[in-house]
Amino acid sequence: KAGVTQTPRYLIKTRGQQVTLSCSPISGHRSVSWYQQTPGQGLQFLFEYFSETQRNKGNFPGRFSGRQFSNSRSEMNVSTLELGDSALYLCASSLAASAQQETQYFGPGTRLLVL
Amino acid sequence: AQSVSQHNHHVILSEAASLELGCNYSYGGTVNLFWYVQYPGQHLQLLLKYFSGDPLVKGIKGFEAEFIKSKFSFNLRKPSVQWSDTAEYFCAVNARTGFQKLVFGTGTRLLVSP
C-alpha cells in the first residue's frame, strides 16, 4: 500500500506570494492532518480534515487555510507569505476522525523556503 | 491544553550503549501516546504507540517504551543502540476524546558514534 504522498517536495517563494501544497493520504484513510515543522517551534498542528470538513484547527493565522476533496486528498494554502513561514510542512493521514486508538502516518513533507 | 516535554535535546552515545529518552506529558484525561523517529533525510516514522493495556510496549528495531500513568511519563528505551539509530526522536500525545491532533515534544537528537 502506498504511503502518504506530498507534492511538491521543495518550493521556493518570495514574500507576499501565496502557495498551495498537496497531500494524498494512504488509500482508505479519510482523515488528513497538517503540521508545520521548524527548528524554533518544532512540530505544530495546523488543521485536520475529515469528509471534506475541517474538524480541528491549531493556533495559526487565517493566512493558513486548507481543504479536503471527496477522494480525501487535501490541499493547504498559505497566502501573503512571510519569511517565518519557511518550514517543512507535513501531512499525516489516518483511518477515522476520532482519536480513539488511531495512528497518524506521515508523508515526506514539503520544504518551503520564503525569500 | 496538552503539552509534552522531552528532557534531553541532544544525546551522544557509543554503539552498544543503552538508551533512555524521557517524555512527560501534561493532560488530565486519557491519552494515546506515540514515539516517532525521523532519520536523516527521511520522513517521520512511527516507532511505537500505546493505547491501552500492557504499559510496556514494544516497537520496531528493538525499541520499547513504558507508560507510567502516575508519573505522566512515556520513556523510550533500547538496551543496545546501533549507529543506524542516529536520528531525531519525537514523543507525541493526543487526547482520546478529541479529534486527530498530535501534540509533539521538542524532539531529541540522538547521535550514535561507531
Side-chain angles (χ1 to χ4, degrees):
Chain A
K1 195 182 262 193
V4 178
T5 57
Q6 293 185 244
T7 56
R9 294 292 310 280
Y10 303 91
L11 208 47
I12 300 175
K13 293 286 187 178
T14 55
R15 277 181 300 175
Q17 287 186 310
Q18 75 164 16
V19 67
T20 299
L21 313 181
S22 180
C23 171
S24 292
I26 293 170
S27 177
H29 285 194
R30 297 174 65 193
S31 172
V32 173
S33 300
W34 289 89
Y35 295 83
Q36 181 195 64
Q37 186 178 19
T38 59
Q41 300 297 319
L43 280 149
Q44 292 188 293
F45 173 79
L46 279 156
F47 28 66
E48 184 258 347
Y49 287 87
F50 178 81
S51 289
E52 303 177 64
T53 300
Q54 186 183 91
R55 304 303 295 264
N56 207 349
K57 190 177 191 311
N59 196 21
F60 278 82
R63 299 185 297 105
F64 291 81
S65 62
R67 58 178 175 168
Q68 186 181 34
F69 302 95
S70 58
N71 61 359
S72 295
R73 191 177 70 84
S74 176
E75 289 182 347
M76 70 163 279
N77 184 77
V78 187
S79 62
T80 320
L81 284 166
E82 300 177 0
L83 295 179
D85 297 334
S86 295
L88 180 66
Y89 290 89
L90 296 172
C91 169
S93 75
S94 67
L95 277 170
S98 80
Q100 292 282 341
Q101 302 199 1
E102 276 297 319
T103 301
Q104 292 186 41
Y105 296 93
F106 285 81
T110 294
R111 189 165 293 281
L112 171 65
L113 177 62
V114 182
L115 301 175
Chain B
Q2 304 151 55
S3 66
V4 179
S5 297
Q6 290 184 242
H7 317 296
N8 317 99
H9 297 294
H10 294 89
V11 173
I12 302 174
L13 294 173
S14 299
E15 273 192 319
S18 64
L19 171 73
E20 179 158 4
L21 301 181
C23 172
N24 286 88
Y25 68 94
S26 171
Y27 183 68
T30 306
V31 295
N32 298 323
L33 297 154
F34 306 85
W35 276 96
Y36 284 88
V37 60
Q38 196 168 33
Y39 297 104
Q42 296 188 29
H43 65 276
L44 212 56
Q45 299 172 37
L46 180 69
L47 203 53
L48 48 76
K49 60 190 176 186
Y50 173 80
F51 292 150
S52 62
D54 188 344
L56 185 62
V57 292
K58 295 191 185 300
I60 60 171
K61 303 186 181 187
F63 286 91
E64 66 179 30
E66 184 176 13
F67 171 51
I68 303 179
K69 190 174 181 180
S70 60
K71 295 184 178 180
F72 297 89
S73 70
F74 190 55
N75 292 351
L76 181 70
R77 299 195 293 249
K78 186 171 183 179
S80 176
V81 294
Q82 301 173 312
W83 175 78
S84 58
D85 293 325
T86 293
E88 190 159 16
Y89 293 81
F90 294 93
C91 180
V93 303
N94 70 1
R96 188 76 68 82
T97 55
F99 296 114
Q100 301 287 354
K101 175 186 173 182
L102 283 171
V103 176
F104 284 88
T106 51
T108 297
R109 285 187 187 273
L110 171 65
L111 175 64
V112 180
S113 57

